[in-house]
Amino acid sequence: MKNGLRIQAETAIRELLASRDKGVGWICKRLGSDGKPAGADRLNSYYRIPWSLAVAGNRDSASSVLSWIVHNALDERGDLKPGAAREPFTRVMASYPLSQIAIGAWHLEQFDVSRRVMAFLAANLVDAQTGGAYSERPELRRTGRTDLLSTAQLGLAAITVGDEDLADASFRWMVALYETQPDLPRRLFPCRIGAQLLTMADGNHSEWDVVTDLHRPFQQFYNPGIAAAFLGRYFAQKKVPDALRMAKAYLELTVQGAELQ
């Protein structure tokens, strides 16, 4: 039995490595000689590339893309420049791409870039009262909405770079979000305005934004998973029992959800 399990594990590892290499190859074929990702003039879909390629072992290509991002997509404050780099993240997930750029820069030992981006995030895209990451850009007339996806990703970046204050704030926000949920395990409401849970769509927030129904198709199915990813890593770092308990609770929402999700 043990030999059979070992063979299964070795086979699975080979398949995973082959899949990884295929993905890396696909990305690298779409990079210019200067690291510019294909389609970058139209849409920022490249923010995760430095992180992904770095952890996949292709640091040269990862560094090339990060260099292109630093010179073409980031300003001196560590913010995304106006235009294609910023536009998709004006009213939703405003901090999300920057958090991942910071992680990629940290993995590539570009600590000055990572610190600059994280400083901008902390000063401009975090609700100082609740610790949540704002969904909307600072130059807008904000509704004040913070959301689970952005807060969890910001928390993951904070853990990576060693920013305990931001990580602690993300943790507090995520615990508070869960504890105010009125309809678990079927529906998760992933957004707040201040301490107020958003449970209904309105003129500023669509149903897609404010409701994750784990028994319906085409939902933000990733919300429980990214919450668990942050909380699990936060527990590994801080050994706070509530973090592990909350990680399991969030992940259980996906386990109990219907196949339609």
Side-chain angles (χ1 to χ4, degrees), residues 37-57:
D41 293 331
R42 302 187 306 275
L43 180 68
N44 180 354
S45 58
Y46 48 77
Y47 51 85
R48 196 191 299 262
I49 293 178
W51 175 14
S52 300
L53 292 183
V55 299

Side-chain angles (χ1 to χ4, degrees), residues 2-256:
K2 288 183 178 180
N3 189 53
L5 290 174
R6 180 180 59 81
I7 293 172
Q8 289 179 22
E10 290 175 351
T11 300
I13 289 171
R14 284 197 299 271
E15 291 174 350
L16 288 168
L17 291 175
S19 179
R20 177 203 65 187
D21 293 343
K22 185 176 181 181
V24 168
W26 189 94
I27 293 170
C28 289
K29 287 178 181 177
R30 288 158 177 81
L31 302 178
S33 59
D34 60 349
K36 181 180 180 179
D41 293 331
R42 302 187 306 275
L43 180 68
N44 180 354
S45 58
Y46 48 77
Y47 51 85
R48 196 191 299 262
I49 293 178
W51 175 14
S52 300
L53 292 183
V55 299
N58 192 330
R59 294 178 64 84
D60 288 346
S61 295
S63 295
S64 181
V65 177
L66 180 64
S67 178
W68 183 88
I69 289 173
V70 169
H71 289 98
N72 297 277
L74 288 181
D75 64 21
E76 66 280 357
R77 300 181 301 160
D79 188 16
L80 293 169
K81 289 181 177 178
R86 179 194 293 181
E87 184 58 33
F89 309 100
T90 301
R91 297 191 178 277
V92 293
M93 304 191 310
S95 66
Y96 191 71
L98 286 167
S99 297
Q100 298 194 44
I101 290 170
I103 293 174
W106 187 91
H107 277 288
L108 293 165
E109 301 180 53
Q110 299 293 318
F111 302 123
D112 55 333
V113 175
S114 185
R115 286 175 61 87
R116 180 160 37 115
V117 173
M118 292 300 295
F120 177 82
L121 287 168
N124 297 278
L125 285 164
V126 177
D127 183 332
Q129 300 301 313
T130 68
Y134 285 120
S135 305
E136 302 151 319
R137 293 273 316 165
E139 65 271 13
L140 298 180
R141 185 177 180 181
R142 279 176 169 153
T143 64
R145 183 175 86 241
T146 54
D147 70 87
L148 176 56
L149 179 70
S150 301
T151 302
Q153 186 60 70
L154 179 64
L156 286 166
I159 289 173
T160 298
V161 307
D163 189 327
E164 291 196 28
D165 289 341
L166 271 184
D168 291 344
S170 297
F171 172 66
R172 291 192 299 270
W173 186 95
M174 211 158 296
V175 171
L177 180 79
Y178 189 90
E179 290 179 343
T180 56
Q181 295 292 315
D183 197 21
L184 296 180
R186 183 183 180 97
R187 293 191 300 170
L188 173 68
F189 300 101
C191 298
R192 303 166 76 198
I193 293 182
Q196 180 75 34
L197 187 70
L198 278 175
T199 58
M200 295 181 63
D202 58 28
N204 294 312
H205 312 102
S206 69
E207 185 174 359
W208 166 265
D209 292 325
V210 302
V211 182
T212 301
D213 190 327
L214 297 167
H215 289 252
R216 292 175 58 194
F218 306 112
Q219 301 292 297
Q220 293 189 42
F221 65 89
Y222 39 75
N223 274 324
I226 195 169
F230 164 71
L231 289 162
R233 293 186 188 186
Y234 185 82
F235 173 77
Q237 182 191 58
K238 306 282 288 211
K239 297 297 185 286
V240 177
D242 275 353
L244 186 59
R245 177 179 63 83
M246 294 302 305
K248 291 178 178 179
Y250 271 107
L251 202 56
E252 189 65 22
L253 298 177
T254 292
V255 174
Q256 294 180 8

